[in-house]
């Protein structure tokens, strides 16, 4: 059967089970949109307000559903507007296929109108990027793009198609697409046996869990492994929900804004088992002082991560689900009662403290957790609000925190929340934003209202760029350069102008009432929370310091008092 390139693209999407595409049309991609129109009963297209919103929505859809997210954009600025979203997905290993269209083959390389080498631009931020100039290679390229996006360590792939290819005819034969096999090519019995031996010799083991556990759907195996090892469990930002936040063994996040329990515990353990995590600088602090007393066992699907940031004593390369399954089969139940008791003492000694009477980030997050019973999907932008969400919402299940961990993309959360809600319709989906982040992509409120996608946008408005200001306050002598946002923007009026239900709150009682109403209304809602500009995220590790040097407000007050006393 001969069909044109645009129809081939749509048929290939159907082969992959794609039911939703996020995008924005333009001249070069018009043929594809025309083909998509004819299949609107099979593939839903969500028109976002900006191409970056489309990329973030595809990313959020992928994180929440476990499927590949798909976004479309036209040539030139349409394609380049996807770049931040593609880079966000790449840094967090999220499977996204971005399909763009370019000028015709004869116009390539001639600085034609809206021409850009997007395949070249995207090369460093994708697992692979293609430009298709021959319609006969189009179907195989798209199929390969989806395979690459899903297999091994997932990630984004870009396919750029010239406009003449979208119109040219070629033979097309449908294919049955097989699910990618879990990567075990480098997994050996010797590695498993060595890991088991290390675990059995350990008296103070600690588990450090990353996003790879979620990507491999290994939460069940992780719970079994933690029980067999009898070890406390901490996580990275990307690992939230892989291990239940309500489990007694859970000690909270590790790193720059991790709990003292996790940071102190990892600093004292004799065996650190890292699973699907990459030892980012936000986790390790001073790498030379990280887990100095521990042997390190690193489990990861990507061999490039082994010994990249932290030297390991042993490693297992393979899919986390497969590795944990094999380890669990060989492990006998260990007993580390004294070690667990020691960690529990830390938990009692260093609880997360905040004012439960005022409207502040931690209090808002704990009330969201209570009202949603911990069952919501939480998206976040980047900054103080992101850290408060990670610290104070008890994530019990995987794929319930959508956040830009690697790239730290302000403006990510609203698009991601829209994508998640489209993909998982029966869940409450809430985006946590700062006022600075809301300004970045607030136009996506119009996307939510256009399709009546009932996301709840919660803005922590402290009238400053909170996290940057926190650093200026602590490390830059309170010189608040370009971080004050005292202006005339009214977020409630702006949101209402785009068709959302919006309300401003100044007390925790008003917030709880507003959130309960938003859930009941089941329409796009915005809640602006006016909080104090000097609220900070604690605990914190200073740049360049060891995570064992984590400090909180009490430590800071004590240090300031001692300095004041010494200066007299």
């Amino acid at each position: 059967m001969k069909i044109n390139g645009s129809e081939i693209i749509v048929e290939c999407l159907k082969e992959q089970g794609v039911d939703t595409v996020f995008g924005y049309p333009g001249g070069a991609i018009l043929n594809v949109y025309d083909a998509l129109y004819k299949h609107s009963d099979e593939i839903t297209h969500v028109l976002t307000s900006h191409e970056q919103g489309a990329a973030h929505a595809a990313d959020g859809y992928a994180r929440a559903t476990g499927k590949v997210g798909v976004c479309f954009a036209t040539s030139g600025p349409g394609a380049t507007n996807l770049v931040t979203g593609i880079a966000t997905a790449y840094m967090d290993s999220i499977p996204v296929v971005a399909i763009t269209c370019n000028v015709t083959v004869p116009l390539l390389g001639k600085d034609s109108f809206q021409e850009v080498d997007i395949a070249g631009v995207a090369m460093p931020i994708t697992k692979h990027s293609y430009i298709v100039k021959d319609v006969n290679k189009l179907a195989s390229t798209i199929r390969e793009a989806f395979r690459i996006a899903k297999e091994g360590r997932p990630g984004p792939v870009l396919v750029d198609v010239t406009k003449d290819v979208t119109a040219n005819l070629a033979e097309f034969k449908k294919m049955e697409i097989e699910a990618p096999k879990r990567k075990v090519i480098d997994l050996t019995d010797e590695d498993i046996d060595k890991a088991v031996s290390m675990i059995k010799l350990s008296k103070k083991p600690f588990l450090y869990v990353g996003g790879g556990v979620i990507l491999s759907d290994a939460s069940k195996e992780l719970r079994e492994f933690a029980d067999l090892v009898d070890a406390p469990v901490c996580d990275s930002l990307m690992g939230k929900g892989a291990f239940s936040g309500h489990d007694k063994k859970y000690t909270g996040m590790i790193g720059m804004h991790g709990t003292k329990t996790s940071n102190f515990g990892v600093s004292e353990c004799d065996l650190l088992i890292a699973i699907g995590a990459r030892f980012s600088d936000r986790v390790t602090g001073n790498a030379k002082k990280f887990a100095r007393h521990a042997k390190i066992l690193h489990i990861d699907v990507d061999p490039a991560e082994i010994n990249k940031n932290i030297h390991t004593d042993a490693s297992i390369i393979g899919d986390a689900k497969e590795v944990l399954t094999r380890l669990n089969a060989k492990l006998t139940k260990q007993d580390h009662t004294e070690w667990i008791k020691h960690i529990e003492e830390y938990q009692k000694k260093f609880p997360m403290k905040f004012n439960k009477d005022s409207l502040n980030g931690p209090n808002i997050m704990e009330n969201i957790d209570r009202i949603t019973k911990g069952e919501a999907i939480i998206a976040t932008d980047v900054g103080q609000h992101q850290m408060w969400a990670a610290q104070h919402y008890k994530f019990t299940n995987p794929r319930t925190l959508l956040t830009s961990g690697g790239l730290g993309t302000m403006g990510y959360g609203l698009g991601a929340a829209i994508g998640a809600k489209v993909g998982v319709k029966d869940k409450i989906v809430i985006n946590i934003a700062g006022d600075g982040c809301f300004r970045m992509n607030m136009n996506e409120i119009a996307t939510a209202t256009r399709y009546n996608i009932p996301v709840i946008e919660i803005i922590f408005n402290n009238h400053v760029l909170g996290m940057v200001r926190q650093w200026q306050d602590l490390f830059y002598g309170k010189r608040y350069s370009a971080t004050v946002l005292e202006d005339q923007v009214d977020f409630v009026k702006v949101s209402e102008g785009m068709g959302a239900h919006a309300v401003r709150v100044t007390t925790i009682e008003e917030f709880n009432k507003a959130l309960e109403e938003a859930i009941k209304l089941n329409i796009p809602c915005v809640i602006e929370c006016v909080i104090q500009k000097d609220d900070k995220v604690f605990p914190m590790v200073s740049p360049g310091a060891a995570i064992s040097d984590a400090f909180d407000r009490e430590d800071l007050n004590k240090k300031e008092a001692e300095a004041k006393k010494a200066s007299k």
Side-chain angles (χ1 to χ4, degrees):
M1 171 176 71
K2 277 199 171 185
I3 57 177
N4 68 33
S6 297
E7 290 164 334
I8 289 172
I9 290 171
V10 173
E11 290 298 327
C12 285
L13 294 182
K14 286 162 60 179
E15 281 180 353
Q16 300 289 339
V18 173
D19 55 21
T20 307
V21 171
F22 305 90
Y24 207 96
I29 202 170
L30 264 177
N31 291 335
V32 178
Y33 270 84
D34 190 55
L36 192 63
Y37 180 85
K38 300 168 189 173
H39 295 270
S40 57
D41 59 332
E42 298 169 281
I43 298 176
T44 298
H45 179 269
V46 177
L47 176 67
T48 54
S49 299
H50 189 281
E51 290 90 352
Q52 186 181 138
H56 292 328
D59 173 303
Y61 176 93
R63 295 190 201 222
T65 64
K67 302 176 184 177
V68 176
V70 180
C71 56
F72 282 179
T74 195
S75 64
T80 57
N81 281 345
L82 292 178
V83 167
T84 296
I86 293 170
T88 301
Y90 181 72
M91 290 292 284
D92 291 343
S93 304
I94 306 303
V96 169
V97 171
I99 296 177
T100 58
C101 288
N102 215 321
V103 299
T104 60
V105 171
L107 292 178
L108 286 174
K110 297 183 178 179
D111 296 328
S112 305
F113 177 67
Q114 290 194 333
E115 180 201 358
V116 73
D117 178 15
I118 191 61
V121 170
M123 192 177 296
I125 54 167
T126 54
K127 285 186 76 178
H128 202 83
S129 62
Y130 301 86
I131 179 165
V132 182
K133 305 176 189 177
D134 180 353
V135 69
N136 295 299
K137 297 178 180 178
L138 181 57
S140 60
T141 301
I142 292 174
R143 288 164 182 156
E144 187 172 69
F146 274 85
R147 177 184 61 78
I148 290 171
K150 290 183 284 188
E151 74 177 2
R153 181 178 183 170
V157 178
L158 179 128
V159 181
D160 191 34
V161 186
T162 61
K163 187 170 183 179
D164 44 358
V165 165
T166 68
N168 293 342
L169 296 175
E171 284 290 334
F172 178 79
K173 186 177 180 182
K174 289 184 180 179
M175 284 183 60
E176 287 290 325
I177 304 299
E178 294 182 6
K181 293 180 180 178
R182 296 189 178 276
K183 188 174 179 183
V184 293
I185 190 168
D186 297 314
L187 185 54
T188 68
D189 288 335
E190 289 79 11
D191 290 338
I192 295 291
D193 291 339
K194 183 174 182 180
V196 169
S197 175
M198 290 173 74
I199 291 166
K200 287 181 177 179
L201 289 171
S202 170
K203 290 181 169 48
K204 299 187 291 184
F206 217 110
L207 271 56
Y208 155 44
V209 177
V213 174
I214 294 170
L215 293 170
S216 66
D217 298 317
S219 292
K220 177 176 172 291
E221 290 75 14
L222 173 65
R223 289 193 297 273
E224 184 182 349
F225 182 68
D227 286 338
L228 285 170
V229 178
D230 195 30
V233 180
C234 67
D235 53 21
S236 67
L237 179 65
M238 299 309 303
K240 288 282 169 189
F243 194 80
S244 172
H246 291 283
D247 194 290
K248 286 184 178 180
K249 286 187 172 67
Y250 180 68
T251 62
M253 191 165 65
I254 184 178
M256 179 170 282
H257 292 294
T259 64
K260 282 189 171 183
T261 301
S262 292
N263 286 348
F264 293 173
V266 166
S267 299
E268 294 175 13
C269 72
D270 65 5
L271 175 65
L272 181 63
I273 306 172
I275 311 167
R278 60 186 180 86
F279 294 102
S280 82
D281 56 296
R282 283 297 195 263
V283 164
T284 63
N286 187 324
K288 292 179 180 178
K289 297 179 180 179
F290 181 75
R292 283 178 292 180
H293 306 293
K295 290 185 180 298
I296 295 177
L297 168 63
H298 194 180
I299 299 167
D300 204 277
V301 74
D302 185 355
E305 290 300 334
I306 308 301
N307 294 318
K308 184 176 86 174
N309 295 327
I310 294 292
H311 176 75
T312 61
D313 296 277
S315 62
I316 306 177
I317 299 169
D319 178 88
K321 191 180 185 77
E322 291 294 320
V323 173
L324 290 175
T325 297
R326 296 198 193 186
L327 284 171
N328 291 343
K330 289 201 170 187
L331 270 173
T332 53
K333 183 82 166 68
Q334 306 296 297
D335 183 3
H336 301 113
T337 304
E338 288 303 311
W339 172 236
I340 295 289
K341 186 178 176 182
H342 176 66
I343 296 300
E344 288 174 349
E345 289 297 320
Y346 272 151
Q347 289 175 308
K348 292 174 187 173
K349 187 177 179 181
F350 302 117
M352 300 292 283
K353 295 178 181 178
F354 60 92
N355 187 337
K356 299 199 175 186
D357 297 320
S358 71
L359 189 70
N360 57 66
N363 206 10
I364 292 168
M365 290 314 308
E366 294 213 353
N367 277 275
I368 294 172
D369 184 60
R370 177 182 58 80
I371 291 169
T372 63
K373 299 180 173 60
E375 293 297 321
I377 291 175
I378 303 294
T380 83
D381 283 293
V382 172
Q384 288 180 315
H385 58 279
Q386 177 191 32
M387 293 298 101
W388 286 323
Q391 290 175 335
H392 295 278
Y393 193 90
K394 298 288 192 297
F395 294 93
T396 55
N397 295 301
R399 303 195 180 280
T400 53
L401 173 63
L402 320 176
T403 193
S404 174
L407 195 63
T409 306
M410 291 177 70
Y412 163 82
L414 182 52
I418 288 169
K421 187 63 180 179
V422 169
V424 189
K425 293 179 173 60
D426 61 340
K427 287 272 192 182
I428 296 168
V429 178
I430 298 171
N431 182 48
I432 310 298
D435 50 325
C437 289
F438 186 59
R439 294 159 190 265
M440 297 276 185
N441 278 342
M442 67 169 81
N443 52 357
E444 296 306 335
I445 291 291
T447 304
T449 57
R450 179 185 295 119
Y451 297 99
N452 194 30
I453 301 168
V455 295
I456 301 171
E457 176 86 352
I458 298 176
I459 307 166
F460 288 17
N461 189 358
N462 52 10
H463 298 286
V464 294
L465 297 176
M467 187 60 87
V468 185
R469 179 189 170 90
Q470 177 167 329
W471 278 56
Q472 288 174 334
D473 192 74
L474 296 174
F475 310 120
Y476 287 83
K478 303 185 189 298
R479 295 183 294 277
Y480 303 126
S481 177
T483 52
V484 178
L485 303 177
E486 293 285 2
D487 51 32
Q488 301 304 309
V489 180
D490 187 323
F491 293 146
V492 170
K493 286 182 179 178
V494 168
S495 301
E496 288 175 339
M498 287 187 281
H501 172 80
V503 61
R504 180 179 297 109
V505 301
T506 57
T507 69
I508 194 65
E509 292 77 17
E510 288 175 348
F511 171 76
N512 290 339
K513 182 180 177 183
L515 179 58
E516 287 165 355
E517 182 185 19
I519 293 169
K520 195 179 297 182
L521 284 172
N522 199 37
I523 60 174
C525 292
V526 176
I527 305 172
E528 179 188 1
C529 304
V530 181
I531 65 172
Q532 294 298 311
K533 65 183 177 182
D534 288 319
D535 285 354
K536 291 183 173 59
V537 179
F538 289 117
M540 184 177 185
V541 177
S542 298
I547 61 170
S548 55
D549 293 328
F551 63 91
D552 55 23
R553 169 61 72 185
E554 290 181 1
D555 297 322
L556 199 62
N557 290 342
K558 185 179 177 182
K559 186 177 180 180
E560 287 173 353
E562 289 173 352
K564 198 172 183 181
K565 186 178 178 182
S567 66
K568 287 182 179 180

